[in-house]
Amino acid sequence: MNIASLSEYDVDDVVALWREVDLTRPWNDPVADYRRAMEGPTSTVLGATDDGRLVGSIMVGHDGHRGWVYYLAVRAVEQRHGVGTALMSAAEAWLRERGAVKVQLMLRSENTATRHFYDALGYEFNDVSVLSRRLDH
Ligand SMILES: CC(C)(COP(=O)(O)OP(=O)(O)OC[C@H]1O[C@@H](n2cnc3c(N)ncnc32)[C@H](O)[C@@H]1OP(=O)(O)O)[C@@H](O)C(=O)NCCC(=O)NCCS
């Protein structure tokens, strides 16, 4: 397995993967999300490939204060073989190289299965509320 930054041409494969593992939501445009992450110097999407086939991906970015990861996804048939752990480790390395001292992520409260995954990686639950407001309309 190889993990590296993807390119603009991988958008269809990545969005198909996000859809397969139910990470897309009607209020977000996944193609726009992918392109935005690929355009700037402070973010990217890393892909895990096996024989050239995309098996997983993760979006990673540094906002100048903290590192964030989004859209971690592993193909259903490839799960529980360490791909998710390897992607998190690659994202952490990407952030460390850019000076980040902390990485965080948002986990939907209904995604209880994934809590075990982050627990296994040593991620701690922070008792904070996330507030947001759309700026695109
Ligand atoms: C979360 C996800 C990325 C994990 O990827 P993965 O490749 O299966 O993870 P790993 O094989 O590296 O798992 C490492 C450990 O995490 C824990 N773990 C992973 N998935 C788990 C699950 N569904 N239930 C319980 N524990 C789990 C286990 O301890 C596992 O080690 P083990 O297999 O030796 O028991 C994958 O399940 C996925 O794509 N889920 C759907 C999308 C999603 O929810 N993404 C996260 C959004 S915040």
Side-chain angles (χ1 to χ4, degrees), residues 60 62 88-101 103:
V60 56
H62 187 352
M88 286 296 292
S89 178
E92 289 171 4
W94 189 96
L95 288 166
R96 226 178 265 115
E97 281 166 23
R98 286 154 183 84
V101 294
V103 55

Side-chain angles (χ1 to χ4, degrees), residues 14-62:
V14 173
V15 171
L17 169 60
W18 291 349
R19 289 194 200 285
E20 178 190 320
V21 297
D22 196 27
L23 286 183
T24 56
R25 291 294 177 274
W27 53 88
N28 291 328
D29 176 347
V31 172
D33 285 353
Y34 182 85
R35 293 200 170 126
R36 224 175 5 255
M38 298 305 291
E39 274 164 14
T42 59
S43 55
T44 192
V45 180
L46 303 175
T49 49
D50 195 7
D51 279 338
R53 219 167 30 93
L54 186 72
V55 294
S57 68
I58 188 167
M59 182 185 289
V60 56
H62 187 352

